[in-house]
Each structure stands twice: as structure tokens, then as C-alpha cells.
Amino acid sequence: MHRRRGKDLEEALLRAAWAELTERGYAAFTLEAVAKRAGTSTPVIYRRWANKASMVEAALVYESSTRVVDIPDTGTLRGDLITMMRAANRSRIDLLVVTAVLLDEYFAERGSNLEQLRARVLAGRRSAAETIFERAVDRGEVDASVLRPHLISLPFDLFRHEVLVTLKPVSDMAIDRIVDDITMPLLARRSR
């Protein structure tokens, strides 16, 4: 049998960790189970991650990186927001549900919350929302002077809220309401 090393071994461990997390939750997650699933030993894991919390964080970062959604450029802010949310519905909902539902003990253990974990997962990466709104400013759809971080994140915060409340993909009707009834009117009012 070929012995895995480096990136191949690390990816196998992170895939195994994600599988363990989604099947068992954080409370029952063990590094021993990850090692067994990956066909290796726990010392191999401990050379990379000090504890289960840091391995779970790494697994979330890895899994998130495999689900990158292309940032749409439909020609309008409305179109970009709707297209982005629909794409997230298809490829990223389980990431949000897993972090919200299965990580309660992680948050208690780390004295952390979903927003802090999200910041760790996204560290060093620019958000899709920033790109979408930057393009809207360039097209003259939005006045850059009214944009603030909370306004840029608002449509996606509402999208995440909807997922957390329902634990399922956001309906097209709800996406349309987020964009047409809240985001677009709010930006238009602030631009006056």
C-alpha cells in the first residue's frame, strides 16, 4: 500500500474529520476515530493539530475551501445578490447547518460563537459581498459613500439567519424578499 505524505495525507485527515463531524457531531468527535477513518494513527494527527477543536477548525476551513462559489457578474447588483445566494443554497448550506447545530459543545469549550468561527474560517479571504458591492459601485448602482460593512454583509446575514432558523436551503421567494424588499430599498434610501 502506498503511504500518503504531505498534502495528500493532510487532505485525507481533513476529509475524515469532516465525515466524523457530520456523522457524530462535536461531542462524539475523537481524533482516534479520525485516524481510524483515514487509515493512520493518532500521533500523525497530533503532529498537525494540538487538539480536537483545532482539527475541527481546520476541517471547516478545508471543507469551505472545496465549496468555493464563483462570484457572479450578471451586470446588476440585484442579479449578483440573487445568483450568489442561489449558488450558496446549492453548495454551502450544510456547512452552515453543521456549524450551527453540531458545534454547540465546541463553542462552549472555546468560549466562542458562530461569528468568531466564521471569521477564523474566512481569515485572509475577501468576502464575495465586498466584490459584488464593489462592482455595483463601479457600475454606478450604489453610492460608495453610503456603504458600510454592516450594509455590505446585510443580505448575506439575512440569508444565514434564514438557514439557521429553518435548517434548510433558503427559498427563492425568501431570497427575493431579502434582495427586493430589504437590501435594494435600503440602499436606494441611503443613496438619496
Side-chain angles (χ1 to χ4, degrees), residues 15 59 71 85 100 104-105 128 131 133 149 152 162:
R15 284 191 303 270
I71 300 171
M85 288 182 203
D104 56 337
E105 287 189 33
T131 301
F133 277 93
I152 292 170
E162 190 75 22

Side-chain angles (χ1 to χ4, degrees), residues 20-40:
E20 284 293 317
L21 181 63
T22 57
E23 289 175 20
R24 300 174 189 258
Y26 186 78
F29 181 95
T30 67
L31 298 180
E32 293 76 16
V34 172
K36 183 177 180 185
R37 185 181 285 256
T40 191

Side-chain angles (χ1 to χ4, degrees), residues 13 31 34-35 40-50 55:
L13 289 167
L31 298 180
V34 172
T40 191
S41 64
T42 52
V44 169
I45 294 174
Y46 281 112
R47 282 195 288 273
R48 289 164 174 80
W49 299 284
M55 180 167 217

Side-chain angles (χ1 to χ4, degrees), residues 72-84 132 135 139:
D73 191 358
T74 65
T76 67
L77 176 59
R78 179 186 185 279
D80 290 351
L81 291 171
I82 289 172
T83 302
M84 186 72 197
I132 288 171
R135 289 176 183 165
R139 288 189 300 258

Side-chain angles (χ1 to χ4, degrees), residues 152-165:
I152 292 170
S153 70
L154 177 68
F156 299 100
D157 292 342
L158 293 170
F159 178 88
R160 280 189 292 278
H161 176 267
E162 190 75 22
V163 172
L164 294 175
V165 169

Side-chain angles (χ1 to χ4, degrees), residues 177-192:
R177 280 195 318 261
I178 289 168
V179 174
D180 294 332
D181 296 348
I182 301 168
T183 305
M184 299 305 289
L186 181 61
L187 289 170
R189 196 174 85 222
R190 291 184 67 92
S191 293
R192 286 189 210 134

